[in-house]
Structure formats: structure tokens, C-alpha cells
Amino acid sequence: MIRVILRRLAFALPVLMATSIGMFLLGAASPMDPARQYAGAAAFTMSEENLHQIRDNWGVDDPLHEQYLRWAGNLLQGDLGWSTSRHQAVGEVIAGRAGWTLLLIGLTLVVVLIGSLVAGTIAAYRRGGLLDRGVRAAAYAVQSMPSFWLALAAIAVFSLGLGWFPAGGLTDVRATSVTFADVAHHLVLPVTVLAISQAPWFLLFVRDSVAESLREDHVLAARARGLAGRTVLFGHALRTALLPFLTLVGTHLPELVGGSVLVETVFSLPGLGAVSVHAALGSDFPLLAAITLITTAVVLTANLFTDLAYTAADPRVRIDG
Amino acid sequence: MTDLLEITGLTVRFRLRDAVVQAVTNLDLTVRRGELLAVVGESGCGKSVLAHALLGLLPANAGVTGRALITLPPAAGVARTSTDRTFVLPGGGERPGDRTVVLPGGGERPGDRTVVLPGGGERPGDRTFVLPGGGERPGDRTVDLLGCGETTLARQIRGRRIGLIPQSPATALTVVRKGRRLLAETLKQHGRDPRLADQVAAEAGLDPADLERYPFELSGGMAQRLCTALALASDPELLIADEPTSGLDRPLVDHTLDLLRRRCDEGAAVLLITHDLAAAERVADTVAVMYASRIVEHRPAADLFRAPAHPYSQGLLNALPDRDFRAIPGHPPMLTALPPGCAFAARCTRVTDACKVQPAGPVACHHPLTTAEVPA
Amino acid sequence: MSLVADGVSAGYRGRRVLTDASLTVEAGETVGLRGPSGSGKSTLVRVLALLHAPETGHVILDGERITGTRHRVPASVRTRIGVLFQSPRASADPRLTLEQLIAEPLLAVRHPRDLIAGRVAELADRAGLTADLLARRPHAVSDGQLQRACLARALVHRPRHLLCDEATTMLDASTQALVASVIIGEQRATGMGVLVVSHDPALLERWADRVEDLTTVTRSH
């Protein structure tokens, strides 16, 4: 297993480089001017000389490969650079915000997994019945709705209409400290919206996979032996039907991250997602590069964990690395 | 011997998108305790469907009519504790060579025998024991397998009264579970000690060491033996073996068949579903030949193999390599388009107009071969 | 014209199942092969069919030593050997009709299209497959009918050697007899050599000219 992890780490390096270079190139193709974004409204009255001066300070007009190598060199020394859109050190930006994004994504993942497993299994058990059809229809419908639209709709109904939940932010505007209850209250809508927007995919997969496995030879044989319904379902049907589920969770993670960006923006949550939109609009390379690196690293690690979990769960599979 | 299973008018139809498959039509069969009945026919004639129908394992698009009455022992109290036949020692203490036996409980039944254990003549302390015969016991009840509902089937019938050795052992085992776990789980479900796994496996011919393997690590033969062990784990009264000889080499085929025969001799009933005529000939008491969803001949095995009455049975036997090795011309009708009269008429040399009407009886033929016509 | 396994040893991923096996099938003869399960009979068939590379030893086809397996062997050589496997379900592409199934090997070598239909009809007729069966897909036919289609497919290139790996084990007695009679008929017409692997001693005794036991075939010599 150690060998597998080491091999994955070695593989991770070129992936991280490739994604960061790709991000730089995309940014270079963007027509946005970081100096103008920094100046804001003053950009209209500022002289071209001043803007040029700002650009020079940041080195944003230098050739791309110079910028990249400079960034990479600083990175290796532990310096993530300066965020032009946030006017802060990138390290500070990330440290202050990454936790909330992780919280949002983590909670959502748990809700999605549990919800889709339960609903999908019940729908498969009563295949063709009213619940099954209802669940599938709802899943297809929700899958076609953009997550930010769902978020706005949720705000309209539950915040503005019913007043049950706050419309955004992480804590009450009047709060002076961060309490668990306050944060929890504020996270209900964002987590629910993100979970609902991501769940259909998992739910449909679980439902199809379990429905098929209930007709498989080994499940029929288990029933024929007189094993209790619960034993057959959990010990035989689910055990084999959900094996691919593990890997799919890992590969679906980037979608979840993408969805979180939109949800954070709509709900004004102080996470990395909201910040990255702003950074993209302002061609804030250092911050974007750091966010890209972190996201890539998280996805690679998640995939490694799911692959290891798969080998543990399925005795037929020996990981190749 | 009494009837254990009585099937009347069993019909199974599958509703497909654009057709109806008639898998089993108007089937009548009885199986007695101690009887090994072989259901013989080519693949695709509906034999396996019979097994699944009895256990309530058919898919949702199946329509089943008819009755299948199974005799169950009295509901409470008198459960069989063990299959070991141990005899209690006679008075006077242990003697070298004596064996211990535990007898099943239950009320007296016709056919029961009383035995005085050897002791060199009656001695104070000797006790008489009633060995179980095959007759009905007071308190026995009958249950219709096709009408009793899923709960009864799951709790009382499957595994407990009826054991199934499935058709394809390789796919019938859950890949993520070791053999020992599968066996222990089944033993526990039926109220037996999970530690008996080794013993049950050995009885089926499987090396207990192989229980540590996963099903995908077992060869075809080993998987078959594990499936047999799983079916025997609960000591069922009716064993259904669905094509238990496919893909096995001769020694294992013989071993499996002999195991089934032994079970029969010990009082169980066995329904052997197979296309292998040699296997049927080896161990069967009675044979039912199936063709195009119906039973066309149902007779004692010895009679059928010596002098088959239905032209299809005759054709089948003639196709064997140690007889004529000659195929029956033509091919069977599709189960979605069965003709109104005798389904074999298109291939039969004895066909007349009378065959446009569906024949019935233990030999379903209007012009059966008589004993005189069959060559010696 | 013979098919020879010369001192063949083979296995899978480090596990050897066949050691030093030597077997010859001459033109026009039917050789039976028996042996306990797991002894390597199927592996030997796969090596002879040029589907599996032996670790040591060679396959000698019509006097010519064959190196390489599968696509590394030219089609003109590969089509000289036909194979019939135990499970017709596993050997048939469920998307193809029986007619397409039988025609597939001809299409693969770009046989002239106008001649394909005739050849397929000829073989289907010999295998006892009627026109309505040819239009069906595997799920709509029985195992016996499907194996007959696989037999027609195996014979479509007029192979000089036919390998049958437990090809009739899953079939009822009548279909088994039919498959055997079709093969024997083809053998009489083309002088094909046939290897029959089976557990059934009665079948081997009736059908094969001589019967080999895998245990003797693998003794080092």
C-alpha cells in the first residue's frame, strides 16, 4: 500500500503542474486587466501612466513563462504570492476561507451520500412503484435545474417568503462572535441546496445499481436459502451493487466543488468559492493558481482514498497504482 | 411413503413487451418422501422455471396459476434438532463399538418401527425407540406454496423445507463473502451452530480449508460443492437440484448424484432437474420428461429407460452416444408460439390428425409406443 | 496437415496449469481428450487455437511452427483453426442476429459480400437452423439453437482443424447428436481434424477415433 501511495504522489506532481500552467494560460487569454480591477472606479480617472506603474509593480505585463516561473519559485519557498483582487497575501486569503469551504463541501457530501443511499435503495426495492417513479422523476427534474437557480429559489421561498432561514452570510449581521448554533442555522439552506443539486446523480446510480443487483443470481440464491430480507439486502445485494459507488464518489467530487462555488456566491458565504469568481474576473493569477492547486490536490487525495477503499471492499481487485 | 409435494395444474407465463412466454403449462407432479424424481428436458423447455416458481423467486412479470401443496410438520414444538442418527446407549454402560444416536421427536406415524437396541437380549435398563417412518404425523399441515405469500415462504419454506442447489454455482455465490461466512450465515439463520460449517462442507465433499477462499478463487467443481453444502446446511425435506451436473467432471457428477441419492434414502425428497439422461438413469426413482412447457411422460425410471412410451422420450434416448447417437429431426417450438395441439407433432413420425388435439395423461401422446414396439 | 502441440507449458499470471503437453491431431481424425477439471484442458485448447501464448513449447500447424498469438498471426493462418466453446451464451454477441453471427468471420477478412449470404445459408441449413431462427437474436433462441449457430460460425472458413472444448456439455442429448453429426459430415467432406474435449466417456468412446488422457499427454518425454 505504501508503494501505491508513493506512486500516486509521484503522479500527482505533473498533474499539479499541468493544471496550474493550464490555469495561467487561460488567465492570459482573458482580456481582464488586474490593474483596472484594483483601481476600481478610479480607473476611469486614473492616468494610463499610473495604471502602467501598478502593472509594472506586480509584474503582470512580464512574459507569461516568467510570471509562472516566478510564482513556482516562490511557491517552493513557501510564499504563495500576493492576491491583487483581495489586497492580501494569498496565504492569508486561503487560511481564512478554506475552512468554511471544506465545511460546506464536507457536510454536503455526507448529506448526499446518506440521502441517495437511503432513497435509492428504497426506490429499487419497490421498483416500479409510486415512490420509485416519483423519486426518479424528481431526480431528472432537479438535475436539469442549475444550482444557483435552486439557491435563489430557496432564498425566495425560505428566507424572504417564510423567514425560516437567513438569506446569506455565515453569521448574523449583529453577531460579535461565531457560535455553533448561529453557523448551523446559516448553513442549513446552502448545504441543502448544494446537496439537492448534487444528489440526483448519485440517487439514480444507486437506484439502478441496486435494482439490477436484486435480480442477480447470487441474491436469488441467498433468498432461496431462506436468509432474512435484511441480510439479503445489506449483506449480499448492497455489498456488491455499491462497489462502483465508491470510485464514482471520488470522480464526482470536482462537480461538487464546482457547485460549491456557485452556492457560496449566491449565499455570500466567506469561502474560497466566492473569492475565486472575483479572482477570475480580475485575472488574479496568484490566488487562482493557489486555489487550482488546492482543488487539484483535494481531488487527487479523494481519488486515492476511494481507490484504496475499493480494494479493501472488493477482494477481486488488486490496485495497480 | 406419503406425498411431500403435490403440484396440480401449475402454469407459468412471462409477460414480455410483445409476446407471452409459456414456460410451464398445466403441470401435475407429486414427489414423495424418499423419492428421487428427475425432471428431464432440453434447456429452455421450462424446467428451471419450475424450481423458481415453487420457491416464489420468479420475476415480477411472471403470472402463476395452479397449486403446489407441501406437507409441513406440526407448527410448534417438535422441530428436528439434528440430522445425526445417534442411538442412545442401552442400559449397562458403554461398550466398545456402540454408537450414540439422537432420534427426532414427533408423534407416532404409520410406518414407524420400534427397535430394541442390541444388548444381547433384553436387560434392565434397555429402552425401546421409535424410528421415524415416512407416514404423516398427527398435526401435519399442508401449505400452498403458490398462494401462501412472501412472508411464509421466506420464514418457513425457503432453506428450511425446500433447499435449492442453483443452476450456475459460479454466479450464485456472493463474491465479496468467503465461503465460511456464507455457510455460517445460513446455519445461523436456520437455528444451527455456525461452527458446523466444516462438517457440512465435508459432507458435501468440499475440503474445509477451501472455505477460507472467496468464490472467485474456487474452481467450478468446488463452487458446486459449496452450493450443495449451502443447500444441505438447513437439512431441508425437499431438495431441488437445478442442473447440478453441468460443467463437472464425471467423478464429481457421480459424487453429487450419490449424495442426492443418500439424502433420499434417509427420508428426504429430491427433485432433480437435468438434461443429462445418464445422470437421471443413475439415481432416479421416477422420471418426468418435459417438452415445450408440458410433461409428456411421467413414469418409473426403470420402465422409461427400458421402454419409453412417448416418441420424444424415445428420440431422446436414441440420441445418446451409447445408443443410436442420432438427433431428433427438427427443433422444438418457441415458447412464445406454442401450437394448439401436441407440440411434438411437427417432428413426430407417428403424427395423425388426432394430434391436433392436446393429449393428456401420464403419457401425453395419442399414439404412444407400446412395449411391444420398442426394440429389445 | 496436422495440428501439433509440442511440449507446451502454459499458465496464467505466474500460476502454471499445463506442463509439457504434447498432442497431435492429424487430418481427418477425431481425437478425444479427457482429464479431471482444472487440469489444463481448456488451456491446451486455447494454446492450440493460438489464443494464448505458451510459456515453453510450440504449436506446429501444418508443419509450420507458429510464433505469436492472436493478431500477430496472419489471418490466413488463424482461419485454418475453428473453435467451439462450452457456453454458447458466452460466445455470442447479444447484439447480432444469428445470421450476422455466422457471417462475422467472413466479414472480418473482407470476404466478397455477395458470396457471404450463400455461404451462411449453406451452413445454417446443415446445422438445422431455419430462416426464422436466423433472424433472431441470442436471447430469443435456446442454448441448443445458439450452439448450432456457433458451430456454423466455426465452420464458415472451412477450417482444417476444429477444436471443441466441452462443446456439448450444456446441450441435451438430441442437440449433442446433431452437433456431432454435422462435424462428422464436415470432416468427411473436407478432411478436417477434430479435437473433442469432454467429460463424457460414452461420448468419447462413440465419437473419437482415439482418446487421450491429459495426464499422459503431459508426461515429460
Side-chain angles (χ1 to χ4, degrees), chain B residues 105-178:
Chain B
E108 269 193 41
R109 296 179 295 184
D112 284 353
R113 298 170 288 141
T114 56
V115 161
V116 173
L117 286 163
E122 278 191 41
R123 295 178 297 178
D126 277 354
R127 290 171 286 164
T128 56
F129 294 93
V130 171
L131 289 171
E136 267 186 46
R137 289 183 290 193
D140 277 354
R141 40 196 186 112
T142 53
V143 166
D144 181 11
L145 292 172
L146 304 176
C148 63
E150 172 70 19
T151 331
T152 318
L153 283 171
R155 292 229 190 99
Q156 293 182 41
I157 306 289
R158 292 191 199 128
R160 225 166 286 257
R161 301 281 151 237
I162 304 182
L164 175 69
I165 306 179
Q167 187 165 15
S168 165
T171 54
L173 297 166
T174 306
V175 281
V176 294
R177 298 241 109 109
K178 288 191 188 171

Side-chain angles (χ1 to χ4, degrees), chain B residues 19 44 72 77 122 140 142 146 150 244 258 260-261 268 286 300 308 320 332 375:
Chain B
L72 300 180
E122 278 191 41
D140 277 354
T142 53
L146 304 176
E150 172 70 19
D258 292 342
L260 293 173
R261 184 73 245 176
T286 333
L320 288 174

